[in-house]
Amino acid sequence: MLVVIAILFVIIGVLAGVIGSIAGLGGGIFFVPALLYFANWYMPGSMNPQVAAATSLIVIAVTALSSSLSYLKQNKVDKQSALLFFIGSAPGAIVGVYLNTLLAVGGFSLLFGLFQLSMFVVLMVKDKIKPRSMEWEVQRHFIDNEGNEYVYGYSKWSVITIAFFVGITSSLFGVGGGILMVPAMIILFRFPPHIATATSMLVIFLSAVVGSITNIFHDNVHWLYAAMLAPGAWAGGKLGAIVASKMKGRTIVLFLRVLILGIAIQMIGEAIFG
């Protein structure tokens, strides 16, 4: 039976790594449900949400490292922006670990799901909203493979503040935080989709390491299951970065919309039906 679980986790690791790398999400939206379902199927009562989130965060670090190395070779990562997001997300990741033990996650799941629905709506209409000219403290220019020119930017403190809440979400749910970070980059700061997903993966790696160290200190990680998921996640992270490099920016945004809607429905369903 343990061999069957190992094979399933390798497959899940690959699929989650590919999808998470393409969308800049890290893959935790798949790891946590898989751990809760299959671990408790193999040994009833052996896996709780706290350990699942902590184990997922370890595997997310593997996925994010794998894809980040590939994205860095493609020159898609905005390293200065990634550092700012990390400055905010690192303390948030630590806070999220402690909140995991204190909050009634059901109520938070409902709010998180409703928030994701709002992100889905904004992503749907963002192209129809006329951009306002803004004087950003930091400004960047990028031209993608299709010749589209992007101008994006931000104020440093707004990035750090948003990243703090992203870090909390990352550790609280074990989802990597990209489900908030990528839409924020695209909607608020007008990051090109390719740069947003690539930069998000580097931030996710750094914040996942911080959150994981805290989880290890509290002995929350199930190392056997992490070891089963990690090889597939590493391969999937690299494959996802390759696939993303061949996709159009609009396709990545469409892919992100579908994932966000699916996560929103899942979170709201869990909160309502338990």
Side-chain angles (χ1 to χ4, degrees):
M1 183 68 73
L2 188 60
V3 174
V4 174
I5 296 293
I7 294 172
L8 283 170
F9 277 3
V10 169
I11 295 171
I12 291 168
V14 172
L15 293 175
V18 169
I19 295 172
S21 181
I22 291 173
L25 307 183
I29 57 175
F30 302 100
F31 296 139
V32 173
L35 284 164
L36 287 172
Y37 181 80
F38 290 112
N40 287 320
W41 173 58
Y42 171 63
M43 192 177 296
S46 64
M47 180 64 62
N48 61 51
Q50 185 178 358
V51 174
T55 305
S56 169
L57 206 58
I58 287 282
V59 185
I60 286 168
V62 173
T63 305
L65 175 60
S66 174
S67 59
S68 292
L69 291 174
S70 296
Y71 281 130
L72 284 166
K73 290 180 181 177
Q74 298 172 15
N75 293 318
K76 296 282 179 63
V77 180
D78 186 332
K79 293 184 282 292
Q80 182 178 338
S81 299
L83 179 60
L84 281 175
F85 271 94
F86 173 63
I87 289 172
S89 65
I94 296 172
V95 172
V97 170
Y98 288 99
L99 287 179
N100 191 291
T101 63
L102 300 175
L103 289 181
V105 179
F108 198 89
S109 294
L110 178 60
L111 293 176
F112 186 73
L114 292 173
F115 179 77
Q116 286 303 300
L117 275 180
S118 68
M119 288 293 98
F120 171 77
V121 172
V122 173
L123 281 172
M124 287 294 292
V125 303
K126 77 176 187 66
D127 291 334
K128 299 177 182 179
I129 301 174
K130 186 177 180 180
R132 294 181 303 164
S133 58
M134 298 181 66
E135 294 296 328
W136 283 306
E137 180 184 355
V138 177
Q139 192 171 93
R140 297 276 192 275
H141 295 266
F142 176 74
I143 300 176
D144 64 17
N145 295 333
E146 303 155 50
N148 298 315
E149 184 176 0
Y150 295 85
V151 178
Y152 66 100
Y154 48 81
S155 68
K156 294 178 181 178
W157 280 110
S158 65
V159 164
I160 292 172
T161 301
I162 289 172
F164 177 77
F165 292 101
V166 167
I168 290 176
T169 304
S170 171
S171 291
L172 186 62
F173 291 103
V175 296
I179 197 62
L180 291 176
M181 192 182 310
V182 176
M185 287 178 171
I186 293 174
I187 296 168
L188 299 179
F189 308 125
R190 302 180 195 164
F191 273 62
H194 287 94
I195 301 299
T197 54
T199 303
S200 171
M201 291 307 290
L202 180 57
V203 180
I204 286 170
F205 166 67
L206 296 172
S207 60
V209 168
V210 173
S212 293
I213 290 172
T214 309
N215 278 316
I216 292 169
F217 180 77
H218 287 86
D219 196 26
N220 290 335
V221 179
H222 195 298
W223 289 105
L224 176 60
Y225 292 142
M228 290 178 179
L229 286 164
W234 178 270
K238 283 196 169 299
L239 181 58
I242 294 171
V243 173
S245 68
K246 302 181 184 302
M247 294 171 66
K248 295 181 178 181
R250 289 182 179 274
T251 306
I252 291 177
V253 173
L254 176 61
F255 188 75
L256 184 63
R257 288 172 185 165
V258 173
L259 279 178
I260 287 176
L261 180 60
I263 293 166
I265 293 172
Q266 177 194 357
M267 288 285 190
I268 293 171
E270 285 181 359
I272 294 175
F273 302 107

